[in-house]
Amino acid sequence: MKIFLDCSDPELIASAYETGLIDGVTTNPSLMLKAGEDPMHVIKEISAIFPWNASVSAEVVGETAEEMLDMAQDYLEIGPNITIKVPCTVEGLKACRELADDDVHVNVTLIFSTAQAILAAKAGATYISPFVGRCEDNNINGIELISSIKKVFKLNSITTTSILAASIRSIDHINNSFKAGADIVTLPPKIFEEMYH
């Protein structure tokens, strides 16, 4: 059972990491750009907080697998704790397969169905990220989705892909995600603080 912080603020991340309870980070480049930050610089700062065997998800964007792979190479030069985050699209999964074949850790994000989770696992994903809150926005039970993925993975002996519950909006989301079989939950700093109370 692991807890990741879903955050792109190095100061907040460093403060949470000092608790000894944070195992990794997921980041969002669009939020960094909105804040006027250079994603490469921010990822370098965050990577320096964590040991080499942690996971710092750096998201790549592009229309093609080649564009995503080019961007991934820049991030991978930062250090061994970088995980490349790709979308669950045809091109994203092509990029995932190539990266996984090179022993790069990959987080396939935007998972909204068990079928997508199966494809991501087949593509060699280290992590798959079902979006609990975003599922609920679309009248899909995000917790049941995690449970369904866990069942399929267990029945088919898929042990190399971890379920990383994302889009967490409440303490109940955390509790229920772990009850449903999530291996990791990534949550905003505010929700992490609420866990203490």
Side-chain angles (χ1 to χ4, degrees):
M1 183 172 67
K2 292 183 177 180
I3 297 174
F4 285 8
L5 213 59
D6 190 27
C7 181
S8 299
D9 183 326
E11 283 185 30
L12 284 176
I13 292 166
S15 175
Y17 181 69
E18 286 174 9
T19 66
L21 303 174
I22 301 298
D23 303 290
V25 173
T26 54
T27 64
N28 184 323
S30 59
L31 293 180
M32 294 179 214
L33 290 168
K34 270 186 192 172
E37 300 279 351
D38 171 20
M40 185 66 66
H41 177 72
V42 174
I43 295 292
K44 277 183 187 173
E45 277 191 69
I46 295 169
S47 173
I49 296 166
F50 288 88
W52 67 272
N53 59 346
S55 175
V56 177
S57 280
E59 187 170 349
V60 294
V61 291
E63 296 295 317
T64 66
E66 290 73 24
E67 289 172 353
M68 293 180 210
L69 290 167
D70 285 346
M71 193 172 182
Q73 288 313 312
D74 292 336
Y75 282 128
L76 291 170
E77 289 175 13
I78 293 171
N81 59 8
I82 297 297
T83 295
I84 301 300
K85 186 160 73 163
V86 300
C88 188
T89 61
V90 172
E91 294 301 309
L93 293 180
K94 283 182 190 174
C96 177
R97 176 77 273 161
E98 265 197 65
L99 291 163
D101 285 346
D102 288 336
D103 294 322
V104 172
H105 289 186
V106 183
N107 176 2
V108 177
T109 189
L110 298 171
I111 299 286
F112 294 100
S113 72
T114 306
Q116 289 178 320
I118 292 165
L119 290 175
K122 286 282 293 173
T126 312
Y127 310 102
I128 52 123
S129 292
F131 273 36
V132 176
R134 292 265 296 275
C135 278
E136 290 178 359
D137 293 344
N138 292 285
N139 297 315
I140 300 166
N141 187 318
I143 302 303
E144 280 184 16
L145 173 59
I146 291 170
S147 183
S148 172
I149 294 167
K150 188 68 171 188
K151 184 176 181 182
V152 168
F153 281 14
K154 191 172 181 182
L155 286 170
N156 291 277
S157 302
I158 297 171
T159 57
T160 54
T161 303
S162 296
I163 300 170
L164 195 170
S167 186
I168 298 296
R169 298 176 182 169
S170 68
I171 300 295
D172 281 345
H173 277 173
I174 298 166
N175 298 340
N176 293 330
S177 292
F178 280 128
K179 283 180 193 174
D183 302 292
I184 306 157
V185 172
T186 186
L187 51 140
K190 181 183 174 206
I191 304 290
F192 176 61
E193 291 296 325
E194 285 178 18
M195 288 181 77
Y196 286 96
H197 307 294

